[in-house]
Amino acid sequence: MSDLWSARFSAEADEKLKKFNSSIAVDGLMYKEDIAGSVAHATMLARQGIISASDAALITEGLNGILSDIQSGALKIDPEAEDIHMFIEGELTNRIGEAGKRLHTARSRNDQVATDFKLYLKNLSGEVKSCLLTFIGTLYELAKTHTDYILPGYTHLQRAQPITLAHHLLAYCEMFMRDYSRFSDAVKRMDYCPLGSAALAGTTYDIDRTLTAKLLGFSAPVSNSLDGVSDRDYASELTFAAALGMTHLTRLAEEVILWCSWEFRFMELNDSFATGSSIMPQKKNPDVAELVRGKSGRVYGALISLLTILKGLPLAYNKDLQEDKEAAFDALKTFLNCLEIFAPMLASSVFNRENMLNAAKKGYINATDMADYLTKKGMPFRSAYKVVGELVSEANKAGKGLEEFELEELRKHSELFEEDVYEAIDLKTCLSKRVSYGGPADIERQLKRVEEFLSD
Ligand code: ARG
């Protein structure tokens, strides 16, 4: 019998089962974490007098040798192995003999895999967080340099009220700062070490779980051993954080796609981040943004996979859980990859101030300001709304803007109109007067907030 667990079996595992059961193609990625977990475990076993110090030294040396051999390429991870835990333990025993067989004392693959998975995801979350910081930094820089780019803000994709490009980009900063804190929160919540939960019910050995938790950089051991081996909340939470982050990216991606179109022409991608067509020589396509929008599908899929894998699982470990890693890894890595390419794509884009301003000049986005003008002169807002609504209708028929009415024409609608109305409905005034907290004239504070976040 070749399998480490095959002592009670009288028949060799069917080849089909071996293939079906194997998870090494995915969990092979966790070789570093698996080795770190085993070194910590062996260290603890020796300190507790469960194995000898010399065996622990042999184990540690053997494991470190395996690590450097995998890293140098001298040792290939066997794709036929059942999983990374079996592969490394088997390799260790091949290398150091008897001592290697003592490593699995007071431990199970169930607490081992949960520990590896947490370590790997903690690490990966750190990478995602650093990509998020770079991404927020890119948005911040663009916002800072485009505070005077006026464009229409939209609702229902209809021109609504004037905003600036800085204001628009800062809205995205807020989303991605929340994403960042979601990853931080999830990592904090998962900071408990499952190692020593063993198969499900702990162990009869006098192990020191606080020590292994410390050695591996966790704040404490998981409190309940059944929970230790069966909890995958952390994978679900992080995948959700990635899924919501993707949602934010797709909103921005959609705007990039729209803004690059001939219909908008608010921005132009750098040639190095655009693609052409094999048949239409004139095309310059926003493939990156489209792919990001499309890749949200696999991240949402991963979240649903995870929740479905966990749904209804009786305690404690079930093999279903082996399906968890592919989903979580793919979700986080996809989000990370999208952030990594989106940042330089945005940073190298050119925004078209003139086209934005031209769009802002049409569509009566100063209508609310005209109503506010009348309201500030004493007219109830609802009445002012009606007056301006009629003016918009008239202007629309005449194909002109509100500012193109003569004062006498305006005064036919309300005696309250005076010469200063033109100043009041000028786009620049519309913007500079929007001083309410969070509005487009409150940009300095918003920029500062992002700046403080980034330097924190
Ligand atoms: N490859 C397994 C996984 O990823 C390791 C745990 C196996 N445990 C077991 N009882 N068969 O979940």
Side-chain angles (χ1 to χ4, degrees), residues 21 23 27 82-83 85 108-110 113 232 317-319 321-325:
N21 206 29
S23 55
D27 60 35
E82 185 177 330
D83 57 30
H85 327 294
S108 153
R109 271 188 297 160
N110 297 349
V113 71
R232 296 294 186 271
Y317 178 85
N318 298 269
K319 193 70 177 226
L321 291 176
Q322 183 167 282
E323 291 292 311
D324 57 4
K325 279 156 234 82

Side-chain angles (χ1 to χ4, degrees), residues 106-108 111 194-205 207 209 224-226 229:
R107 169 179 96 165
S108 153
D111 57 340
L195 196 61
S197 298
L200 74 163
T203 172
T204 54
Y205 292 94
I207 58 171
R209 292 195 54 201
N224 178 295
S225 63
L226 293 164
V229 291

Side-chain angles (χ1 to χ4, degrees), residues 79-143:
E80 312 266 282
E82 185 177 330
D83 57 30
I84 192 65
H85 327 294
M86 292 303 217
F87 172 72
I88 289 174
E89 192 189 333
E91 178 66 23
L92 180 70
T93 304
N94 287 344
R95 292 186 180 199
I96 67 168
E98 279 300 293
K101 297 188 193 165
R102 296 192 195 277
L103 172 62
H104 213 53
T105 314
R107 169 179 96 165
S108 153
R109 271 188 297 160
N110 297 349
D111 57 340
Q112 195 179 350
V113 71
T115 307
D116 294 2
F117 195 23
K118 274 193 171 180
L119 288 173
Y120 191 90
L121 285 178
K122 256 172 100 174
N123 231 332
L124 189 52
S125 297
E127 285 178 44
V128 173
K129 281 172 66 178
S130 108
C131 281
L132 272 167
L133 284 184
T134 308
F135 192 70
I136 296 164
T138 302
L139 291 171
Y140 167 80
E141 286 301 327
L142 286 172

